[in-house]
Amino acid sequence: MKIDLTDTNSSKINKAILEARRAVGTPAVGMVLTLVIVTDEEHAYDAVKAANEAAREHPSRTLVVIKRHARSPRARNEPRLDAEVRVGTDAGAGETVLLRLHGEVARRADSVVLPLLLPDAPVVVWWPVDAPEVPSSDPLGALAQRRITDTYAVEDPLGALAARAASYAPGDTDLAWTRLTPWRSLLAAALDQARASVTSAAVESEAENPSAELLARWFGDRLDVPVERVVTDGPVVTAVRMGTPDGEIRIDRPDGPVAHLSIPGQPTRVMALKVRTTAELIAEELRRLDPDEAYAAALRYGQ
């Protein structure tokens, strides 16, 4: 069910949500959190699609904040809030509200969002693109227990990582780090099997890949060994090598959803290691809302 509201306010939006929920028979008691997505019109569709898929695992109220910029100077200063309320099959397993903010309202997005938050539920803010320089100091970021950015979506990923390291606050995370979870799990399992000390490491990836940079920093922080960065044609991370006294532990994923794991003295094995979708990454981030200390240590390593 969809309800369109023009030149509205938060009170009318809350009323529309209740009416839509009654009409489709959807209770609110199953909602576990509020997910606030701050994006532009160009990226809104993909972000909402990913959030709806993640909501199958984490039923939530999704508030999509879209700041609109009028063409004429006069219209640019006129405050207006338009909304689209989606409940039921149009919003996955939760409910979605698209908020289009104009003029002065766009500069006070937190005052619009605050009355729409689910009571006594965690708040997560996700910037698919154009995240603030200091997410925890942003008016919307200050409302959240978890703040999700994506350095893969910026022009200078390594510069963005440096900015994230300088401004890190507990609750910050980045999808560049989330993409590494299968890699880190597989590497930890390989070390458990090899039972050998690591003397060196290398990460192979496309140039300026933020996930590869975080993986190299994670190696340096955890293993205290020199880490070589090798540039390849990609896509993303293509291989990881760890030197040991017994030989080289290697994971190769040149392309496709599978990787080859080589451990000295053992046969090479084929492992599943696909590039995950944005919906899968968001779903993983919503599973834990406590500070990610491993991410913080890797982010700050060498800074």
Side-chain angles (χ1 to χ4, degrees), residues 224-237:
D224 193 25
V225 297
V227 183
E228 181 185 5
R229 288 281 283 107
V230 180
V231 176
T232 66
D233 293 333
V236 295
V237 180

Side-chain angles (χ1 to χ4, degrees), residues 167-179:
S167 65
Y168 175 81
D172 290 356
T173 190
D174 196 278
L175 294 186
W177 174 254
T178 318
R179 292 182 179 95

Side-chain angles (χ1 to χ4, degrees), residues 101-138:
L101 284 61
H102 305 254
E104 181 63 27
V105 180
R107 293 184 281 273
R108 298 296 303 274
D110 55 316
S111 64
V112 175
V113 168
L114 187 59
L116 301 176
L117 301 178
L118 289 172
D120 303 320
V123 178
V124 177
V125 177
W126 171 32
W127 292 271
V129 293
D130 299 329
E133 188 172 338
V134 184
S136 60
S137 297
D138 181 82

Side-chain angles (χ1 to χ4, degrees), residues 167-243:
S167 65
Y168 175 81
D172 290 356
T173 190
D174 196 278
L175 294 186
W177 174 254
T178 318
R179 292 182 179 95
L180 293 175
T181 300
W183 281 94
R184 294 191 295 122
S185 299
L186 191 53
L187 289 165
L191 285 177
D192 286 343
Q193 295 177 49
R195 295 189 177 277
S197 59
V198 178
T199 57
S200 64
V203 178
E204 301 180 11
S205 76
E206 60 190 0
E208 297 191 352
N209 182 277
S211 295
E213 178 64 24
L214 285 171
L215 185 58
R217 295 184 189 185
W218 180 68
F219 270 134
D221 175 67
R222 289 290 183 173
L223 302 176
D224 193 25
V225 297
V227 183
E228 181 185 5
R229 288 281 283 107
V230 180
V231 176
T232 66
D233 293 333
V236 295
V237 180
T238 55
V240 174
R241 294 179 277 116
M242 296 183 290

Side-chain angles (χ1 to χ4, degrees), residues 8-241:
T8 186
N9 56 46
S10 298
S11 177
K12 293 178 181 178
I13 294 171
N14 262 323
K15 183 178 179 181
I17 293 173
L18 290 174
E19 290 175 353
R21 194 186 296 148
R22 292 193 189 102
V24 300
T26 303
V29 292
M31 305 293 174
V32 297
L33 56 88
T34 302
L35 174 61
V36 181
I37 303 174
V38 187
T39 186
D40 54 24
E41 201 72 62
E42 178 183 356
H43 298 88
Y45 176 83
D46 290 336
V48 171
K49 182 180 178 182
N52 286 348
E53 292 179 15
R56 301 180 193 279
E57 182 178 338
H58 310 278
S60 58
R61 173 176 290 179
T62 301
L63 305 176
V64 187
V65 178
I66 304 172
K67 299 179 181 181
R68 300 293 299 269
H69 301 282
R71 295 181 179 180
S72 68
R74 180 178 179 180
R76 198 173 298 146
N77 294 322
E78 291 180 357
R80 194 175 88 244
L81 170 63
D82 300 330
E84 180 182 327
V85 178
R86 302 177 182 176
V87 176
T89 56
D90 292 313
E95 52 195 28
T96 300
V97 182
L98 276 69
L99 304 166
R100 292 182 170 88
L101 284 61
H102 305 254
E104 181 63 27
V105 180
R107 293 184 281 273
R108 298 296 303 274
D110 55 316
S111 64
V112 175
V113 168
L114 187 59
L116 301 176
L117 301 178
L118 289 172
D120 303 320
V123 178
V124 177
V125 177
W126 171 32
W127 292 271
V129 293
D130 299 329
E133 188 172 338
V134 184
S136 60
S137 297
D138 181 82
L140 288 174
L143 300 174
Q145 287 75 42
R146 194 75 159 180
R147 295 168 293 274
I148 305 172
T149 56
D150 191 358
T151 50
Y152 197 82
V154 303
E155 292 184 4
D156 181 13
L158 301 188
L161 281 181
R164 296 284 170 266
S167 65
Y168 175 81
D172 290 356
T173 190
D174 196 278
L175 294 186
W177 174 254
T178 318
R179 292 182 179 95
L180 293 175
T181 300
W183 281 94
R184 294 191 295 122
S185 299
L186 191 53
L187 289 165
L191 285 177
D192 286 343
Q193 295 177 49
R195 295 189 177 277
S197 59
V198 178
T199 57
S200 64
V203 178
E204 301 180 11
S205 76
E206 60 190 0
E208 297 191 352
N209 182 277
S211 295
E213 178 64 24
L214 285 171
L215 185 58
R217 295 184 189 185
W218 180 68
F219 270 134
D221 175 67
R222 289 290 183 173
L223 302 176
D224 193 25
V225 297
V227 183
E228 181 185 5
R229 288 281 283 107
V230 180
V231 176
T232 66
D233 293 333
V236 295
V237 180
T238 55
V240 174
R241 294 179 277 116

